[in-house]
Amino acid sequence: AQKVTQAQTEISVVEKEDVTLDCVYETRDTTYYLFWYKQPPSGELVFLIRRNSFDEQNEISGRYSWNFQKSTSSFNFTITASQVVDSAVYFCALSEATIQGAQKLVFGQGTRLTINP
Amino acid sequence: EAGVVQSPRYKIIEKKQPVAFWCNPISGHNTLYWYRQNLGQGPELLIRYENEEAVDDSQLPKDRFSAERLKGVDSTLKIQPAELGDSAVYLCASSLVLTSGYQETQYFGPGTRLLVL
């Protein structure tokens, strides 16, 4: 069965510090997708990134960067120069293939990130 | 373009009462998902529709939960009767799944926060 582990339940840093959120996954599929979503206090899950299992290139988008390493089954997320607006719960998710071909998401338990001014 | 719309945003009911949640997906998305998110946890899939067909309802507690997506667009999730343990956030998501089975990213609505007293 697929499983996503986010070992950090809560992280608190001071604004402008860099912070890394860890994500470790388990799957038997050779083809899968990994995601990060942000959930601000308003409750909506905001899509941040999607990465397929064949693409191990790291990605950078502004202050956000992602490090995908198949060898360690990890997909870590780094925020550089954090800002108060980055405060939210962040979820890592894995898509598994179903017999119908489409994919459902399996989420980790989330990491609550607090950026203090 | 409008995102996933859900209503109501909040609902407080007494146990044993019925309750219903409504979701309108992003225009053109053929696949709709209902997730339940318990406090401090990641979302868990309840049911997935491809057009009007429920293709994965293995996690839906069928004794009290029901869902429908009659015209393959909007959907309703119902609980009858509600129990204390049903207090959670109910999230709706939608995506486009191609005939090949390839699924584009799931986008989430703001959720309905249910409190059962």
Side-chain angles (χ1 to χ4, degrees), chain A residues 37 39 42 50 101 103 109, chain B residues 9 37 41 101 103 105-106:
Chain A
Y37 284 85
Q39 190 172 44
S42 60
R50 170 191 182 126
Q103 301 159 343
Q109 296 208 333
Chain B
R9 291 295 312 277
Q37 184 178 17
Q41 305 288 321
Q103 182 208 49
T105 297
Q106 291 183 35

Side-chain angles (χ1 to χ4, degrees), chain B residues 87-100:
Chain B
S87 295
V89 176
Y90 292 84
L91 293 162
C92 179
S94 71
S95 71
L96 178 64
V97 177
L98 306 179
T99 53
S100 62

Side-chain angles (χ1 to χ4, degrees), chain A residues 19-79:
Chain A
V19 58
T20 295
L21 282 60
D22 298 333
C23 174
V24 175
Y25 63 93
E26 298 175 26
T27 180
R28 293 182 179 178
D29 291 342
T30 55
T31 303
Y32 53 89
Y33 292 85
L34 295 163
F35 302 80
W36 277 95
Y37 284 85
K38 174 182 180 180
Q39 190 172 44
S42 60
E44 184 171 348
L45 279 165
V46 178
F47 166 74
L48 295 178
I49 190 171
R50 170 191 182 126
R51 176 60 47 146
N52 76 52
S53 53
F54 296 109
D55 183 1
E56 289 193 69
Q57 277 193 331
N58 292 331
E59 181 157 339
I60 298 174
S61 176
R63 296 183 297 106
Y64 295 171
S65 62
W66 291 268
N67 183 352
F68 176 30
Q69 292 194 346
K70 283 181 78 170
S71 61
T72 56
S73 297
S74 65
F75 187 45
N76 296 336
F77 172 33
T78 297
I79 302 175

Side-chain angles (χ1 to χ4, degrees), chain A residues 87-102:
Chain A
S87 296
V89 180
Y90 290 85
F91 289 96
C92 180
L94 168 71
S95 66
E96 62 177 15
T98 68
I99 58 174
Q100 290 85 8

Side-chain angles (χ1 to χ4, degrees), chain B residues 9-10 13 16 23-24 26 32 36 38 40-41 44 49 58 63 65 67 69 72 81 83 85 88 95 99 109 111:
Chain B
R9 291 295 312 277
Y10 304 92
I13 60 172
K16 301 185 181 179
C23 172
N24 192 45
I26 292 173
L32 183 146
R36 178 168 59 187
N38 293 316
Q41 305 288 321
E44 295 181 324
Y49 282 93
S58 57
D63 57 335
F65 285 66
R69 193 185 184 202
E83 296 179 353
S95 71
T99 53

Side-chain angles (χ1 to χ4, degrees), chain B residues 14-25:
Chain B
E14 294 187 347
K15 63 180 181 182
K16 301 185 181 179
Q17 294 298 306
V19 64
F21 315 125
W22 177 80
C23 172
N24 192 45

